[in-house]
Amino acid sequence: RGGPVDAPFVLAALQYKVHIKEALPALLQDVAVPAVTGCVVAQLRALADAAAGAALVARRLQRHPCPHRAQPLHGAACI
């Protein structure tokens, strides 16, 4: 099962040093694979230095394809 996460979720996880891949399944008490879309990664990259670490974290998560490659949407709107 994949669970899409948005940019603020990734930012908060990094801020509070929460390992998303470990914490999400523990929280849900089930198998959960956190995932992002290209729009979420693009949103984090657009925040530049303020979200550089979060963009790296997001790139390590499973990627769900989205049709917005040419013009990315806000991450929450995409997922």
Side-chain angles (χ1 to χ4, degrees), residues 5 12 29-30 34 38 42-43 55 59-60 73:
V5 296
Q29 298 180 353
D30 199 359
Q43 180 183 357
R59 287 182 54 203
R60 293 185 184 133
L73 300 176

Side-chain angles (χ1 to χ4, degrees), residues 1 11 16-17 21 31 33-34 36 42 55 67 70 76:
R1 294 179 196 160
L11 283 165
Y16 293 103
K17 297 177 176 61
K21 287 184 180 181
V31 176
V33 180
V36 294

Side-chain angles (χ1 to χ4, degrees), residues 51-73:
L56 288 174
V57 169
R59 287 182 54 203
R60 293 185 184 133
L61 299 176
Q62 183 177 1
R63 179 83 62 104
H64 281 286
C66 73
H68 314 115
R69 187 174 188 117
Q71 292 185 325
L73 300 176

Side-chain angles (χ1 to χ4, degrees), residues 16-57:
Y16 293 103
K17 297 177 176 61
V18 174
H19 296 277
I20 299 171
K21 287 184 180 181
E22 298 168 7
L24 196 58
L27 176 70
L28 299 175
Q29 298 180 353
D30 199 359
V31 176
V33 180
V36 294
T37 64
C39 291
V40 172
V41 175
Q43 180 183 357
L44 290 168
R45 285 186 184 150
L47 295 173
D49 293 338
L56 288 174
V57 169

